[in-house]
Amino acid sequence: MTTTGEETATARGGPWWWGRRRSAVFDWCLAVASALECAAEGVPFAREAGIPAGVGVVFGLLAGSVLLVRRRYPIAVVLVAIAITPAEMGFLMGTVGLYTLAATELPRRIIGSLAGMQLVGTLIVTFVRVRQDIARGDLTLGDWFVPFASIAISLGLTAPPLLLGLYVGARRRLMESLRERADDLERELQLLAERAEERAEWARNEERTRIAREMHDVVAHRVSLMVVHAAALQAVARKDPEKAVKNAALVGDMGRQALMELREMLGVLRSGGEGERRPAVEAVAAAVARVVEEGEGPCLEELEELVGQSAAAGMVVELSVEGEVRGYAPEIEQTAYRVVQEALTNVHKHAAGAKARVRLAHRVAEIAMQVENEPPPEAGSAASARLPSGGNGLVGMRERVVGLGGVFVSGPTEAGGFRVSAVIPAG
């Protein structure tokens, strides 16, 4: 983590307004040095002003110690340095104070104004002092040296700390801006990672649902017919041996067909993971997608066989086809087949013995199918075969149809039966 706020909070540990203890120690050392300098310069100032030397020393100590608050009140430090410039003291305080002021985030007009005041004050004091030295004969240079020395000294005491402070302040602000950008980028990356994980989890859930729906459609219908035939076999085993043999053969056929479909599905699952190591859900999802895309699943041409299997199980079922028969995309044909298959399975489960009608309509831009059954002749007939119901058949049919942009409707009829209708776009 590069969060600036956390680093600042962790680094803070100094007294009062100092962020770190070493900053406080450094400022105390500067303040002591400035106070000693001003105290030493207070002795000649007191002599020239005609006041006791002790007063000049105390005045220098108090004035120089103001440097202690340079981080908290930089403007006050610079103003004090400008005020004591005529006394020829506080050069360290003026230099450090101007540097601190320039490094802050104060408006440039304030920094420029105070720097200009300090430059003018230093220029005037230096001009007067050099002129006095030349007048006393301490300096034997010409009059040209007075303005040159005044300008050079005043610029030397003002320009370097001002420029250095501006550079350090700009660099500090740049580093803070980079830290903030890094923090924002890290938060955005974290958010993107969370969203990617959510999308991945959603995709895994969708694939699990798709796999469960495909496996349910592969197994449920065949096994339901096997259970129906087994119940019929149990009922006629002693009364009609020939019919019992026929039902047993049908049960065997249904079992072999169920095993064949499962073997095809599992074979695709095994071959789908060759050459790469993928998680189980992704491998199964890819295999299911391969089954759909390569057309290895059922198609509408097998619809008559599907209806015939239900008729062989004892259901009275009629199939009617309207419109011009034509081919569709594999996923459309498989979805239409699965809808009819699951609807017939539900008739076996919940309305055994009821008459059913299967209608398939080929239209210009869509294909429609409807499976409707009458109420069962006996209320308890469905329980005779003891067919369990998982409650996922209608949900799976709806998901399949809606996934292709179609419409799915199911519900009881006024006559007491049940109707399943679906319309799927052809393209």
Side-chain angles (χ1 to χ4, degrees):
M1 290 289 290
T2 60
T3 47
T4 307
E6 292 184 2
E7 287 186 352
T8 304
T10 304
R12 285 191 176 277
W16 296 337
W17 57 83
W18 286 285
R20 292 175 293 184
R21 294 185 181 276
R22 66 178 184 179
S23 299
V25 172
F26 181 70
D27 284 357
W28 274 97
C29 293
L30 286 178
V32 170
S34 176
L36 293 177
E37 177 204 358
C38 292
E41 293 170 346
V43 175
F45 168 72
R47 188 186 314 114
E48 293 180 3
I51 59 177
V55 176
V57 172
V58 172
F59 175 75
L61 289 174
L62 294 177
S65 61
V66 176
L67 191 60
L68 184 65
V69 297
R70 70 182 185 94
R71 298 179 190 267
R72 190 68 179 272
Y73 306 107
I75 297 179
V77 173
V78 175
L79 290 176
V80 172
I82 294 173
I84 63 176
T85 299
E88 298 184 11
M89 63 174 61
F91 294 105
L92 176 62
M93 182 172 60
T95 303
V96 177
L98 186 59
Y99 161 80
T100 306
L101 178 69
T104 60
E105 297 182 359
L106 291 172
R108 293 295 177 86
R109 62 178 182 276
I110 296 178
I111 298 175
S113 300
L114 293 176
M117 292 171 60
Q118 186 167 345
L119 175 65
V120 172
T122 306
L123 179 64
I124 294 174
V125 172
T126 305
F127 184 86
V128 172
R129 174 58 63 181
V130 173
R131 190 175 184 82
Q132 289 176 351
D133 292 341
I134 291 178
R136 286 196 302 265
D138 296 338
L139 295 175
T140 59
L141 298 174
D143 294 338
W144 63 269
F145 182 73
V146 176
F148 173 78
S150 303
I151 295 174
I153 294 175
S154 58
L155 287 176
L157 293 176
T158 305
L162 177 64
L163 296 177
L164 180 62
L166 291 175
Y167 167 75
V168 172
R171 183 175 181 275
R172 183 185 302 154
R173 288 187 291 271
L174 176 61
M175 295 301 296
E176 291 177 356
S177 175
L178 293 177
R179 289 194 188 97
E180 291 178 358
R181 291 183 181 180
D183 295 341
D184 294 340
L185 179 60
E186 185 175 359
R187 282 191 291 268
E188 290 179 2
L189 291 176
Q190 199 169 18
L191 182 60
L192 289 176
E194 293 176 357
R195 291 181 178 176
E197 182 63 26
E198 292 176 358
R199 288 194 296 269
E201 182 64 25
W202 176 84
R204 285 193 290 268
N205 292 334
E206 287 293 317
E207 293 301 340
R208 290 190 186 100
T209 303
R210 184 182 180 187
I211 294 165
R213 184 171 60 240
E214 191 70 25
M215 299 301 291
H216 172 273
D217 292 341
V218 168
V219 177
H221 181 72
R222 304 292 185 191
V223 175
S224 299
L225 291 179
M226 290 172 61
V227 173
V228 171
H229 282 297
L233 176 62
Q234 184 179 5
V236 301
R238 296 181 180 179
K239 299 179 182 180
D240 191 350
E242 293 183 2
K243 189 174 182 180
V245 172
K246 183 179 179 181
N247 287 341
L250 288 175
V251 171
D253 291 339
M254 294 296 175
R256 281 187 290 272
Q257 291 175 0
L259 287 174
M260 186 181 303
E261 291 187 5
L262 283 175
R263 189 177 294 112
E264 289 178 358
M265 177 67 67
L266 294 176
V268 173
L269 290 178
R270 288 179 181 275
S271 63
E274 293 180 356
E276 56 180 346
R277 301 177 61 87
R278 293 181 292 180
V281 174
E282 283 77 358
V284 175
V288 173
R290 178 181 166 187
V291 170
V292 174
E293 292 173 0
E294 296 184 1
E296 298 181 8
C299 59
L300 291 178
E301 294 180 358
E302 304 174 14
L303 202 58
E304 291 186 6
E305 181 182 354
L306 177 68
V307 173
Q309 292 172 357
S310 295
M315 178 190 297
V316 180
V317 56
E318 297 178 357
L319 173 63
S320 62
V321 180
E322 302 174 3
E324 182 181 356
V325 179
R326 63 182 187 275
Y328 300 93
E331 61 270 16
I332 295 177
E333 293 203 9
Q334 291 176 27
T335 300
Y337 181 92
R338 295 300 188 193
V339 169
V340 176
Q341 183 186 57
E342 182 61 28
L344 292 177
T345 302
N346 288 340
V347 176
H348 285 292
K349 288 182 179 180
H350 307 290
K355 182 179 179 180
R357 289 181 295 274
V358 179
R359 299 175 182 175
L360 184 67
H362 298 274
R363 300 171 183 171
V364 176
E366 60 189 16
I367 178 173
M369 64 227 65
Q370 183 183 89
V371 179
E372 181 179 350
N373 64 274
E374 298 177 354
E378 299 179 6
S381 59
S384 62
R386 297 179 181 178
L387 289 169
S389 177
N392 296 320
L394 294 177
V395 176
M397 285 189 284
R398 182 183 301 276
E399 290 176 350
R400 283 179 177 275
V401 174
V402 173
L404 295 177
V407 179
F408 178 84
V409 178
S410 63
T413 62
E414 296 180 357
F418 199 83
R419 181 187 298 116
V420 173
S421 302
V423 179
I424 304 175

